[in-house]
PDB file of all heavy atoms in Angstrom:
ATOM      1  N   VAL A1402       4.437  -5.822  -3.255  1.00 94.00           N
ATOM      2  CA  VAL A1402       4.270  -6.676  -2.026  1.00 94.00           C
ATOM      3  C   VAL A1402       5.611  -7.133  -1.502  1.00 94.00           C
ATOM      4  O   VAL A1402       5.847  -7.004  -0.297  1.00 94.00           O
ATOM      5  CB  VAL A1402       3.363  -7.862  -2.378  1.00 94.00           C
ATOM      6  CG1 VAL A1402       3.300  -8.850  -1.223  1.00 94.00           C
ATOM      7  CG2 VAL A1402       1.973  -7.397  -2.762  1.00 94.00           C
ATOM      8  N   SER A1403       6.526  -7.602  -2.343  1.00 94.00           N
ATOM      9  CA  SER A1403       7.815  -8.070  -1.863  1.00 94.00           C
ATOM     10  C   SER A1403       8.629  -6.928  -1.229  1.00 94.00           C
ATOM     11  O   SER A1403       9.320  -7.132  -0.280  1.00 94.00           O
ATOM     12  CB  SER A1403       8.618  -8.831  -2.906  1.00 94.00           C
ATOM     13  OG  SER A1403       8.921  -7.935  -4.008  1.00 94.00           O
ATOM     14  N   PHE A1404       8.514  -5.745  -1.779  1.00 93.00           N
ATOM     15  CA  PHE A1404       9.229  -4.556  -1.244  1.00 93.00           C
ATOM     16  C   PHE A1404       8.716  -4.255   0.167  1.00 93.00           C
ATOM     17  O   PHE A1404       9.534  -4.040   1.125  1.00 93.00           O
ATOM     18  CB  PHE A1404       9.039  -3.396  -2.160  1.00 93.00           C
ATOM     19  CG  PHE A1404       9.580  -2.112  -1.609  1.00 93.00           C
ATOM     20  CD1 PHE A1404      10.951  -1.898  -1.537  1.00 93.00           C
ATOM     21  CD2 PHE A1404       8.739  -1.088  -1.171  1.00 93.00           C
ATOM     22  CE1 PHE A1404      11.459  -0.686  -1.010  1.00 93.00           C
ATOM     23  CE2 PHE A1404       9.263   0.106  -0.669  1.00 93.00           C
ATOM     24  CZ  PHE A1404      10.602   0.269  -0.580  1.00 93.00           C
ATOM     25  N   TYR A1405       7.396  -4.233   0.372  1.00 93.00           N
ATOM     26  CA  TYR A1405       6.870  -3.976   1.681  1.00 93.00           C
ATOM     27  C   TYR A1405       7.180  -5.103   2.670  1.00 93.00           C
ATOM     28  O   TYR A1405       7.420  -4.839   3.855  1.00 93.00           O
ATOM     29  CB  TYR A1405       5.345  -3.772   1.599  1.00 93.00           C
ATOM     30  CG  TYR A1405       4.942  -2.522   0.791  1.00 93.00           C
ATOM     31  CD1 TYR A1405       3.811  -2.548   0.022  1.00 93.00           C
ATOM     32  CD2 TYR A1405       5.676  -1.388   0.840  1.00 93.00           C
ATOM     33  CE1 TYR A1405       3.397  -1.433  -0.690  1.00 93.00           C
ATOM     34  CE2 TYR A1405       5.305  -0.280   0.106  1.00 93.00           C
ATOM     35  CZ  TYR A1405       4.161  -0.305  -0.648  1.00 93.00           C
ATOM     36  OH  TYR A1405       3.812   0.829  -1.342  1.00 93.00           O
ATOM     37  N   ASP A1406       7.242  -6.324   2.197  1.00 93.00           N
ATOM     38  CA  ASP A1406       7.695  -7.450   3.065  1.00 93.00           C
ATOM     39  C   ASP A1406       9.132  -7.226   3.527  1.00 93.00           C
ATOM     40  O   ASP A1406       9.437  -7.477   4.688  1.00 93.00           O
ATOM     41  CB  ASP A1406       7.593  -8.812   2.300  1.00 93.00           C
ATOM     42  CG  ASP A1406       6.170  -9.307   2.186  1.00 93.00           C
ATOM     43  OD1 ASP A1406       5.312  -8.936   2.993  1.00 93.00           O
ATOM     44  OD2 ASP A1406       5.927 -10.099   1.281  1.00 93.00           O
ATOM     45  N   LYS A1407       9.969  -6.817   2.630  1.00 92.00           N
ATOM     46  CA  LYS A1407      11.390  -6.554   2.995  1.00 92.00           C
ATOM     47  C   LYS A1407      11.513  -5.419   4.018  1.00 92.00           C
ATOM     48  O   LYS A1407      12.281  -5.482   4.963  1.00 92.00           O
ATOM     49  CB  LYS A1407      12.236  -6.265   1.757  1.00 92.00           C
ATOM     50  CG  LYS A1407      12.467  -7.457   0.905  1.00 92.00           C
ATOM     51  CD  LYS A1407      13.208  -7.140  -0.367  1.00 92.00           C
ATOM     52  CE  LYS A1407      13.274  -8.361  -1.245  1.00 92.00           C
ATOM     53  NZ  LYS A1407      13.885  -8.076  -2.508  1.00 92.00           N
ATOM     54  N   LEU A1408      10.718  -4.364   3.865  1.00 89.00           N
ATOM     55  CA  LEU A1408      10.693  -3.256   4.817  1.00 89.00           C
ATOM     56  C   LEU A1408      10.271  -3.810   6.224  1.00 89.00           C
ATOM     57  O   LEU A1408      10.870  -3.377   7.201  1.00 89.00           O
ATOM     58  CB  LEU A1408       9.699  -2.172   4.391  1.00 89.00           C
ATOM     59  CG  LEU A1408      10.193  -1.200   3.330  1.00 89.00           C
ATOM     60  CD1 LEU A1408       9.058  -0.234   2.954  1.00 89.00           C
ATOM     61  CD2 LEU A1408      11.433  -0.456   3.744  1.00 89.00           C
ATOM     62  N   ALA A1409       9.275  -4.634   6.251  1.00 89.00           N
ATOM     63  CA  ALA A1409       8.792  -5.183   7.543  1.00 89.00           C
ATOM     64  C   ALA A1409       9.915  -6.020   8.183  1.00 89.00           C
ATOM     65  O   ALA A1409      10.053  -5.894   9.406  1.00 89.00           O
ATOM     66  CB  ALA A1409       7.562  -6.010   7.325  1.00 89.00           C
ATOM     67  N   ARG A1410      10.653  -6.752   7.446  1.00 89.00           N
ATOM     68  CA  ARG A1410      11.721  -7.591   8.025  1.00 89.00           C
ATOM     69  C   ARG A1410      12.915  -6.738   8.491  1.00 89.00           C
ATOM     70  O   ARG A1410      13.596  -7.076   9.416  1.00 89.00           O
ATOM     71  CB  ARG A1410      12.158  -8.628   7.022  1.00 89.00           C
ATOM     72  CG  ARG A1410      11.187  -9.760   6.842  1.00 89.00           C
ATOM     73  CD  ARG A1410      11.709 -10.922   6.117  1.00 89.00           C
ATOM     74  NE  ARG A1410      12.204 -10.585   4.793  1.00 89.00           N
ATOM     75  CZ  ARG A1410      11.486 -10.634   3.689  1.00 89.00           C
ATOM     76  NH1 ARG A1410      10.254 -10.951   3.727  1.00 89.00           N
ATOM     77  NH2 ARG A1410      12.032 -10.303   2.526  1.00 89.00           N
ATOM     78  N   ALA A1411      13.174  -5.603   7.803  1.00 88.00           N
ATOM     79  CA  ALA A1411      14.284  -4.769   8.146  1.00 88.00           C
ATOM     80  C   ALA A1411      14.127  -4.182   9.577  1.00 88.00           C
ATOM     81  O   ALA A1411      15.145  -4.072  10.253  1.00 88.00           O
ATOM     82  CB  ALA A1411      14.462  -3.681   7.135  1.00 88.00           C
ATOM     83  N   GLY A1412      12.962  -3.780   9.936  1.00 78.00           N
ATOM     84  CA  GLY A1412      12.681  -3.277  11.283  1.00 78.00           C
ATOM     85  C   GLY A1412      13.302  -1.942  11.658  1.00 78.00           C
ATOM     86  O   GLY A1412      13.436  -1.656  12.818  1.00 78.00           O
ATOM     87  N   ARG A1413      13.728  -1.166  10.683  1.00 83.00           N
ATOM     88  CA  ARG A1413      14.388   0.131  10.995  1.00 83.00           C
ATOM     89  C   ARG A1413      13.385   1.227  11.248  1.00 83.00           C
ATOM     90  O   ARG A1413      13.752   2.276  11.768  1.00 83.00           O
ATOM     91  CB  ARG A1413      15.304   0.505   9.884  1.00 83.00           C
ATOM     92  CG  ARG A1413      16.485  -0.456   9.702  1.00 83.00           C
ATOM     93  CD  ARG A1413      17.448   0.041   8.724  1.00 83.00           C
ATOM     94  NE  ARG A1413      18.525  -0.903   8.527  1.00 83.00           N
ATOM     95  CZ  ARG A1413      18.567  -1.785   7.558  1.00 83.00           C
ATOM     96  NH1 ARG A1413      17.639  -1.849   6.667  1.00 83.00           N
ATOM     97  NH2 ARG A1413      19.586  -2.651   7.497  1.00 83.00           N
ATOM     98  N   ALA A1414      12.140   1.008  10.862  1.00 87.00           N
ATOM     99  CA  ALA A1414      11.096   1.998  11.099  1.00 87.00           C
ATOM    100  C   ALA A1414       9.756   1.239  11.282  1.00 87.00           C
ATOM    101  O   ALA A1414       9.568   0.116  10.784  1.00 87.00           O
ATOM    102  CB  ALA A1414      10.964   2.954   9.897  1.00 87.00           C
ATOM    103  N   GLU A1415       8.851   1.851  11.992  1.00 90.00           N
ATOM    104  CA  GLU A1415       7.488   1.297  12.115  1.00 90.00           C
ATOM    105  C   GLU A1415       6.612   1.965  11.065  1.00 90.00           C
ATOM    106  O   GLU A1415       6.469   3.219  11.092  1.00 90.00           O
ATOM    107  CB  GLU A1415       6.966   1.643  13.528  1.00 90.00           C
ATOM    108  CG  GLU A1415       5.653   1.046  13.842  1.00 90.00           C
ATOM    109  CD  GLU A1415       5.172   1.393  15.244  1.00 90.00           C
ATOM    110  OE1 GLU A1415       6.035   1.529  16.146  1.00 90.00           O
ATOM    111  OE2 GLU A1415       3.985   1.570  15.411  1.00 90.00           O
ATOM    112  N   TYR A1416       6.100   1.212  10.174  1.00 92.00           N
ATOM    113  CA  TYR A1416       5.290   1.773   9.067  1.00 92.00           C
ATOM    114  C   TYR A1416       4.016   1.013   8.886  1.00 92.00           C
ATOM    115  O   TYR A1416       3.924  -0.130   9.246  1.00 92.00           O
ATOM    116  CB  TYR A1416       6.117   1.862   7.823  1.00 92.00           C
ATOM    117  CG  TYR A1416       6.252   0.508   7.115  1.00 92.00           C
ATOM    118  CD1 TYR A1416       5.363   0.134   6.132  1.00 92.00           C
ATOM    119  CD2 TYR A1416       7.289  -0.383   7.481  1.00 92.00           C
ATOM    120  CE1 TYR A1416       5.478  -1.084   5.521  1.00 92.00           C
ATOM    121  CE2 TYR A1416       7.356  -1.618   6.901  1.00 92.00           C
ATOM    122  CZ  TYR A1416       6.515  -1.974   5.921  1.00 92.00           C
ATOM    123  OH  TYR A1416       6.550  -3.178   5.341  1.00 92.00           O
ATOM    124  N   THR A1417       3.083   1.659   8.225  1.00 94.00           N
ATOM    125  CA  THR A1417       1.818   1.076   7.845  1.00 94.00           C
ATOM    126  C   THR A1417       1.523   1.474   6.414  1.00 94.00           C
ATOM    127  O   THR A1417       1.658   2.648   6.061  1.00 94.00           O
ATOM    128  CB  THR A1417       0.685   1.544   8.781  1.00 94.00           C
ATOM    129  OG1 THR A1417       0.973   1.180  10.098  1.00 94.00           O
ATOM    130  CG2 THR A1417      -0.638   0.907   8.388  1.00 94.00           C
ATOM    131  N   VAL A1418       1.087   0.518   5.619  1.00 95.00           N
ATOM    132  CA  VAL A1418       0.712   0.830   4.185  1.00 95.00           C
ATOM    133  C   VAL A1418      -0.809   0.964   4.195  1.00 95.00           C
ATOM    134  O   VAL A1418      -1.535   0.048   4.550  1.00 95.00           O
ATOM    135  CB  VAL A1418       1.104  -0.346   3.258  1.00 95.00           C
ATOM    136  CG1 VAL A1418       0.653  -0.032   1.835  1.00 95.00           C
ATOM    137  CG2 VAL A1418       2.598  -0.577   3.298  1.00 95.00           C
ATOM    138  N   PHE A1419      -1.294   2.135   3.767  1.00 95.00           N
ATOM    139  CA  PHE A1419      -2.714   2.405   3.619  1.00 95.00           C
ATOM    140  C   PHE A1419      -3.053   2.153   2.173  1.00 95.00           C
ATOM    141  O   PHE A1419      -2.425   2.641   1.238  1.00 95.00           O
ATOM    142  CB  PHE A1419      -3.000   3.863   4.016  1.00 95.00           C
ATOM    143  CG  PHE A1419      -2.854   4.118   5.494  1.00 95.00           C
ATOM    144  CD1 PHE A1419      -1.629   4.397   6.002  1.00 95.00           C
ATOM    145  CD2 PHE A1419      -3.960   4.039   6.303  1.00 95.00           C
ATOM    146  CE1 PHE A1419      -1.481   4.655   7.372  1.00 95.00           C
ATOM    147  CE2 PHE A1419      -3.837   4.280   7.675  1.00 95.00           C
ATOM    148  CZ  PHE A1419      -2.621   4.584   8.198  1.00 95.00           C
TER     149      PHE A1419
END
Side-chain angles (χ1 to χ4, degrees):
V1402 173
S1403 63
F1404 173 72
Y1405 295 144
D1406 284 337
K1407 289 176 185 176
L1408 281 177
R1410 286 192 303 269
R1413 293 188 183 98
E1415 183 180 327
Y1416 75 94
T1417 301
V1418 178
F1419 291 84

